[in-house]
Amino acid sequence: MARDYSWLPSHQQHVAFTVAHADALIAQIGEVLFGYASPPGPLTFTNIGDGHLAHVTVTAVAPLPSAVSRNAAAALTQLRAAIEHTLFAEVEQQLGRPLSAGEGRRIEMPTCARDADLIAWANDRRRASITPLHVGAPLFERIRRLQPYQHPRPDDHPLRVLAEHTNLAKHRTPAVAATLLGAVIPDRRASDLVLASGPDKPLQAGDVLATGPRYQRIPLSIWPKISIQRPHTGTWHVAMTELGEIETWARTIALPVLIAGRTDVTPLPPQLDTSIGYDDTYAALSEAGTVPAAQRMSRRMQAAVVRLGIADTLALHPESPDSATVSGWLDALDDEQVFNKQIQLSHAARSGNPLLLDGTVRQLIAESIQHVTAA
């Protein structure tokens, strides 16, 4: 379906570049996290004996790069700026004149817990001359639609979360980010294995992740998660998910509602290159990528896990070449090709036909050897 940006008037084109800049910052965070989480990963462990038990214990947590919290704060600030700038431009457009310095200081996106608070904000005498913000005006009603009290859980409303994050970053500290425990998954069933549980908190040396029989070997997959803390609730949320959800809300809901009063429009594309200039912004929007940074990074991390899985599967075959050959071949494939190889393996494994599975594995082994030969 052809994209249609007729809902975005010329006086609001600026916002497309702001959200694209925010997406680029989120992409930078993703790159840092990809390197941080890549093998051997940020966690080191040891087994500590305790009678007939052994505890898998954290011995060290690699420091989280400061770019994570600072770029997170910058991305969230840009998303809030996109909303504030849009509101300012819409007020000026509707008034048909530039705002005075005093009026300009009164333009803000309110974040209210009750409708009465929003009405009081609009009725403030300092906004008497800003008629688009008066109660009952179309722009006021658009603002009302975006308020946290419209959500069944106001503390989780994206506008509330965005406001709290940016207030913290502006006045106190960059976003608070840390490495938490994502999951501990045993490679096989073990009824006498006790896994870590309890409230989310940053990992530190001495934390016990699993306890089991001392003289029984139970392989574990341990996954960290890089999280960001919400200032108003103290809860931890996966950083890329938090940023991605707020970005998506801003692009697909908040900005279309403020500008057009509706959400059934072509969303602003996140992958608009802001490093070059454009003679025709609408044409640039129609050609820009539409996959937000959080989704792109999620796909990339999934592909990295799939690469490890394929390598492990091929290593089990007696005719498998050395690990460097297989890894070199897998690294040369793009992510979509890797997913397709995994689909081939999964189909063969689910078929219940050992000959089909063996043939598929042999085919992939042959491809890896051919890649080295061709190189």
Side-chain angles (χ1 to χ4, degrees):
M1 182 181 296
R3 303 186 208 177
D4 179 7
Y5 292 105
S6 59
W7 65 272
L8 184 71
S10 58
H11 69 277
Q12 294 289 12
Q13 287 184 358
H14 60 91
V15 75
F17 299 97
T18 306
V19 296
H21 181 49
D23 185 82
L25 289 167
I26 297 172
Q28 289 178 31
I29 297 168
E31 289 294 330
V32 172
L33 292 182
F34 186 84
Y36 179 77
S38 294
L43 307 178
T44 54
F45 320 94
T46 190
N47 288 317
I48 297 179
D50 179 16
H52 294 294
L53 299 176
H55 308 290
V56 178
T57 306
V58 177
T59 56
V61 182
L64 189 64
S66 63
V68 175
S69 58
R70 281 157 176 78
N71 278 354
L76 291 164
T77 299
Q78 285 297 307
L79 291 171
R80 185 168 180 176
I83 293 171
E84 301 277 359
H85 296 170
T86 295
L87 189 58
F88 188 97
E90 201 60 29
V91 168
E92 280 201 329
Q93 178 69 18
Q94 292 189 20
L95 285 176
R97 62 174 176 81
L99 291 165
S100 68
E103 288 173 328
R105 287 191 291 272
R106 309 302 174 210
I107 304 298
E108 61 184 2
M109 183 62 177
T111 306
C112 298
R114 303 179 306 157
D115 195 61
D117 297 333
L118 180 63
I119 292 172
W121 171 86
N123 287 337
D124 190 308
R125 60 181 179 79
R126 294 172 296 180
R127 296 186 182 84
S129 63
I130 311 176
T131 54
L133 299 182
H134 289 182
V135 176
L139 185 56
F140 172 85
E141 294 303 327
R142 295 175 185 180
I143 293 171
R144 174 181 263 162
R145 285 177 57 186
L146 300 173
Q147 291 305 298
Y149 63 81
Q150 304 283 8
H151 194 282
R153 298 181 305 280
D155 280 346
D156 294 334
H157 189 283
L159 180 59
R160 175 74 191 280
V161 176
L162 177 61
E164 294 291 345
H165 276 310
T166 52
N167 287 343
L168 179 77
K170 180 179 179 181
H171 299 294
R172 298 181 185 177
T173 180
V176 178
T179 303
L180 279 65
L181 180 63
V184 180
I185 304 173
D187 290 356
R188 60 179 175 79
R189 287 184 176 275
S191 59
D192 44 5
L193 183 68
V194 179
L195 304 180
S197 62
D200 275 350
K201 64 182 183 63
L203 285 171
Q204 56 186 1
D207 284 346
V208 175
L209 304 185
T211 298
R214 185 171 185 173
Y215 301 107
Q216 184 178 353
R217 186 174 184 274
I218 304 174
L220 301 174
S221 295
I222 299 174
W223 300 91
K225 62 179 180 181
I226 316 310
S227 301
I228 188 171
Q229 188 177 40
R230 289 184 181 174
H232 58 304
T233 63
T235 52
W236 292 92
H237 301 262
V238 175
M240 291 299 285
T241 301
E242 182 92 327
L243 296 169
E245 289 177 350
I246 294 173
E247 180 200 11
T248 297
W249 173 80
R251 283 191 307 106
T252 65
I253 296 178
L255 296 172
V257 166
L258 287 176
I259 295 170
R262 56 198 181 98
T263 59
D264 59 338
V265 298
T266 303
L268 294 171
Q271 294 174 271
L272 179 64
D273 188 351
T274 62
S275 67
I276 58 177
Y278 299 99
D279 292 323
D280 186 339
T281 299
Y282 293 111
L285 292 174
S286 295
E287 296 171 2
T290 60
V291 182
Q295 289 185 26
R296 300 197 303 273
M297 185 49 57
S298 175
R299 189 75 169 165
R300 183 179 176 191
M301 289 183 172
Q302 290 172 20
V305 173
V306 169
R307 282 184 171 88
L308 292 175
I310 293 176
D312 288 344
T313 299
L314 299 191
L316 297 174
H317 197 278
E319 296 185 15
S320 179
D322 60 89
S323 60
T325 296
V326 175
S327 296
W329 166 62
L330 289 169
D331 289 343
L333 301 176
D334 63 34
D335 291 347
E336 289 307 314
Q337 289 173 318
V338 167
F339 285 122
N340 287 334
K341 302 302 181 186
Q342 177 60 25
I343 290 171
Q344 286 180 259
L345 273 175
S346 297
H347 173 72
R350 288 196 303 267
S351 71
N353 183 343
L355 293 179
L356 176 60
L357 179 58
D358 182 70
T360 302
V361 171
R362 287 177 181 274
Q363 175 191 333
L364 298 182
I365 288 173
E367 289 182 25
S368 69
I369 295 172
Q370 184 179 11
H371 169 75
V372 171
T373 304

